[in-house]
Amino acid sequence: MTSMTIRETDSQRDVDALVELLREESPWTTTNRAAWLHREASVPARALLGAWVAELGGEVVGESWALKTWWMEGPASMNVAVLKRHQGKGIGAALYERAIAHAESLAPTRIISGFFETPQAVAFAHARGFAEERAARISACDPRALDLEPEAEVRPCSQVDPKVLWQMYETITPDVPGQHNPPPMPFDEWREFVIERPLYQAEGSFVAYADGQPAAVSMLAADLETGRAVT
């Protein structure tokens, strides 16, 4: 078997391989080269991100990372992913050791991980002491087949002051399942992380109004390379 090496992630060098990995790991994910690089660059320094890739014969076949969750008070977050054709070879276990050591060094109240559920992924997490806290169901549709008219007043986000969107985010986020005591996010940081994403579609994102006041928001990210979009 070709020997495996683990090294720190090099964003510019590894981006194409990691976009492929992310698309395979999370079928619902919308990403491309520009979006992946933007995401990495917009992680604030206080998150203390650590990331590693595994290589086999010069090919990047997996990655792990860990950071301090800046959108929640207390936890650290981590993830491990390996290309399907290279799973079962101990690569994920080796990457996990790098990530868990870094996560524990952040002195978190707990360590969390979210991933697209498969029997293999769940077994990997359970074997390392993780327990399921919640699950999210992803629904899909072909928007070309929809014929719906909103009953409320609706405006595209391109016509809404970004600070209104940010204020809605700050108000709504504490009610999102899994968000425990989220700290305030400065506007400039939110703007970079959310609406300056290369895949963000302002014309396809909307705010609904009730009695003239913004009441709900739906934000769209679309990856035109793969025909995937998520809201």
Side-chain angles (χ1 to χ4, degrees), residues 73-97:
E73 291 283 2
S77 183
M78 65 172 290
N79 184 260
V80 179
V82 177
L83 289 172
K84 292 178 182 176
R85 65 182 182 273
H86 291 291
Q87 292 177 4
K89 301 175 181 178
I91 297 170
L95 286 167
Y96 172 84
E97 292 303 325

Side-chain angles (χ1 to χ4, degrees), residues 11-12 15-16 18-19 22-23 30-42 192-193 196-200 222-223 225:
S11 295
Q12 293 296 329
V15 55
D16 292 328
L18 294 177
V19 166
L22 185 56
R23 285 174 173 171
T30 54
T31 192
N32 61 16
R33 194 175 201 277
W36 191 93
L37 289 170
H38 177 268
R39 185 191 68 175
E40 293 295 293
S42 60
E192 180 182 17
F193 197 72
E196 292 181 358
R197 292 175 296 167
L199 301 184
Y200 170 62
D223 175 14
E225 292 178 21

Side-chain angles (χ1 to χ4, degrees), residues 65-123:
W65 54 261
L67 52 71
K68 184 180 294 185
T69 58
W70 72 94
W71 63 93
M72 283 191 287
E73 291 283 2
S77 183
M78 65 172 290
N79 184 260
V80 179
V82 177
L83 289 172
K84 292 178 182 176
R85 65 182 182 273
H86 291 291
Q87 292 177 4
K89 301 175 181 178
I91 297 170
L95 286 167
Y96 172 84
E97 292 303 325
R98 296 293 183 98
I100 193 66
H102 182 64
E104 290 174 344
S105 76
L106 302 175
T109 55
R110 59 193 182 122
I111 298 172
I112 60 176
S113 183
F115 52 86
F116 186 78
E117 186 174 317
T118 66
Q120 296 85 352
V122 172

Side-chain angles (χ1 to χ4, degrees), residues 97-185:
E97 292 303 325
R98 296 293 183 98
I100 193 66
H102 182 64
E104 290 174 344
S105 76
L106 302 175
T109 55
R110 59 193 182 122
I111 298 172
I112 60 176
S113 183
F115 52 86
F116 186 78
E117 186 174 317
T118 66
Q120 296 85 352
V122 172
F124 185 92
H126 283 173
R128 286 157 181 81
F130 284 82
E132 184 176 308
E133 181 177 275
R134 69 184 183 97
R137 184 180 296 275
I138 305 299
S139 300
C141 71
D142 182 344
R144 296 169 297 184
L146 300 179
D147 184 18
L148 301 173
E149 290 296 331
E151 295 182 6
E153 176 192 357
V154 175
R155 300 177 196 170
C157 287
S158 59
Q159 298 177 15
V160 179
D161 184 342
K163 287 198 172 180
V164 171
L165 301 177
W166 167 64
Q167 290 164 352
M168 294 183 73
Y169 172 89
E170 291 289 286
T171 301
I172 294 168
T173 298
D175 295 327
V176 176
Q179 300 290 336
H180 301 280
N181 302 316
M185 183 179 291

